[in-house]
Amino acid sequence: MFAYILRRLAFAAVTLWLATLLVFGALLLIPGNPAQAILGIDATPADVAALEHRLGLDKPPLERYLNWLGGVLRGDLGQSIRYETSISGLIIARLGITLPIVIAALLLATLIAVPMGILAARRVGSWADIAVSLGSLVGIVLPSFWVGLMFIYIFIVWLKLPLPSSFPIGGWKDPARAIAALVLPVLTVGLASSSLLVRLVRGSVLEVLHQDYVRTARAKGLSERVVLYKHALRNAALPVVTVLGLEFAQLLIATVVVETVFGIPGLGSLSLLAISARDYPLVQGVVLTIAAFIVLLNLIVDLLYALLDPRVSYA
C-alpha cells in the first residue's frame, strides 16, 4: 500500500506539472493585454509598457513560466494583477465559501440519491421506478442557472422567506446570514447533482441484485433487508464512490454559474473575474488549485476501493 501511495503521489506531481504547462500555454493564446485591460483603452503606450515592466509581462514566456513554477514549489502562487495581493490568500478566502457549498450539496445529493435509487431498483418497472427515473431526467436537463432563478422567485419573491439574495459583505463574521445565503445555492447544486447520482445508484443496485451471491443469500432464507444492506450495497457503492469523487471536482468548476446567479463571492466567481481581467497569474493559481483537488480526490477514491472491496490489492 505504501509503495502504491508513493507511485500515485509521483504520478500526481507529474499530472499537476503538465496541467501548469497546459494552462500557461493556453493563456498565451488568449488575445488581449493584461496591462491594457487594467489601465483601460485610454492608456498611452508608454503607460502600458511601464506597467508590463512592473508586472514582469515584458519577459520571455519561458522565463515567466519558470519564475512562476519556482514560486509554486515554494508555496507562493504570486501576486494578482487585478487585486495586487497574494493569490494564495485570495484562493483560500474564496475556498472558504465555495467548499461549504460543494460539500453540503454533495451531502444533500447523496441523501436524496441513495434512498431514491434503492427504491427504484427494488421496485423496477413500478410507478415508483418510473417517477424516480423521470424526476432524475428532468433534473439533468434543466440548466442550473434557470433552477437558481426559479428558487429565487419561489422562496424569496413568492413565499417571501427571510433568505438573503446575496452573500453578506462581512462573510463568515455573520455566520447566520452567511448560512442563510448559501441555502438556495446548495439546493440548486445538490438537486442537479442528485439527478445524476440517483440513476447511477439505481443501475448499480439493480446490477448487483442479479448477481449469483445475492441469489445464494436469498436462497439461505435471509431477509430482503439483510440481503440488500449487508451484501448488495457494499459492492453497489464502488461506482457511486468513484462518481462522487469526480462530482466533487466537477462542482468546483460548476459553481461559476451558481455563484454568479446568487452573488456568491466564491472560487467560481473569482475565476470568472480573473479571466475577464486577463489576470493570468490568478487564472493559473485557480486552475492549479482545482487540478490539485481533482488529483487528490482520485487518489482518495482509489484508496477507498480497498476498504469497500477486499478483492482489490495494491501489491
Side-chain angles (χ1 to χ4, degrees):
M1 174 71 79
F2 183 71
Y4 172 78
I5 295 176
L6 289 180
R7 290 197 303 270
R8 285 304 310 268
L9 289 176
F11 179 75
V14 174
T15 303
L16 290 177
W17 171 65
L18 292 175
T20 62
L21 281 176
L22 181 62
V23 172
F24 189 86
L27 290 177
L28 290 177
L29 301 177
I30 298 178
N33 188 321
Q36 185 74 60
I38 293 173
L39 296 176
I41 59 175
D42 296 330
T44 64
D47 293 336
V48 173
L51 184 57
E52 286 180 339
H53 178 72
R54 183 168 66 87
L55 298 175
L57 299 176
D58 56 345
K59 297 179 180 179
L62 180 59
E63 182 179 353
R64 287 160 49 195
Y65 170 74
L66 292 177
N67 290 337
W68 175 73
L69 185 61
V72 171
L73 295 177
R74 297 190 303 269
D76 180 14
L77 295 177
Q79 295 286 316
S80 167
I81 296 175
R82 176 184 175 89
Y83 297 98
E84 296 186 350
T85 187
S86 170
I87 292 176
S88 300
L90 284 173
I91 292 177
I92 291 174
R94 298 302 181 97
L95 277 176
I97 300 174
T98 298
L99 283 182
I101 296 177
V102 174
I103 294 173
L106 272 184
L107 179 61
L108 175 63
T110 304
L111 292 176
I112 294 174
V114 172
M116 290 294 100
I118 293 174
L119 174 65
R122 291 183 63 183
R123 302 182 181 181
V124 60
S126 66
W127 284 107
D129 180 27
I130 295 174
V132 171
S133 299
L134 286 178
S136 64
L137 183 61
V138 171
I140 291 174
V141 300
L142 289 179
S144 57
F145 73 88
W146 184 85
V147 175
L149 291 175
M150 289 299 99
F151 278 160
I152 292 175
Y153 176 77
I154 293 172
F155 290 104
I156 298 179
V157 178
W158 185 30
L159 297 178
K160 299 185 184 301
L161 296 181
L163 295 174
S165 58
S166 62
F167 200 75
I169 297 177
W172 291 107
K173 295 179 181 178
D174 186 359
R177 182 175 173 83
I179 292 174
L182 298 184
V183 169
L184 294 184
V186 168
L187 280 176
T188 303
V189 179
L191 290 178
S193 183
S194 67
S195 301
L196 173 64
L197 287 176
V198 71
R199 300 180 69 86
L200 179 65
V201 172
R202 176 189 180 275
S204 183
V205 172
L206 196 59
E207 180 181 358
V208 170
L209 288 178
H210 288 85
Q211 297 295 320
D212 290 338
Y213 72 91
V214 173
R215 286 194 288 266
T216 302
R218 286 170 173 163
K220 290 180 178 180
L222 297 179
S223 66
E224 190 66 22
R225 180 178 296 273
V226 173
V227 170
L228 177 64
Y229 292 101
K230 186 176 180 180
H231 297 279
L233 277 187
R234 187 169 185 175
N235 288 331
L238 290 175
V240 178
V241 169
T242 302
V243 172
L244 278 176
L246 297 175
E247 190 70 10
F248 188 98
Q250 177 65 28
L251 290 181
L252 285 175
I253 304 172
T255 52
V256 174
V257 176
V258 175
E259 289 177 358
T260 301
V261 170
F262 291 99
I264 305 295
L267 190 65
S269 59
L270 179 66
S271 61
L272 192 62
L273 289 173
I275 293 172
S276 63
R278 305 293 194 273
D279 193 341
Y280 297 159
L282 183 53
V283 174
Q284 291 170 170
V286 171
V287 173
L288 183 62
T289 301
I290 295 176
F293 269 103
I294 294 174
V295 172
L296 177 62
L297 288 169
N298 283 336
L299 176 61
I300 293 174
V301 167
D302 286 345
L303 297 179
L304 284 177
Y305 262 57
L307 299 177
L308 294 173
D309 192 349
R311 296 170 298 179
V312 176
S313 173
Y314 296 113

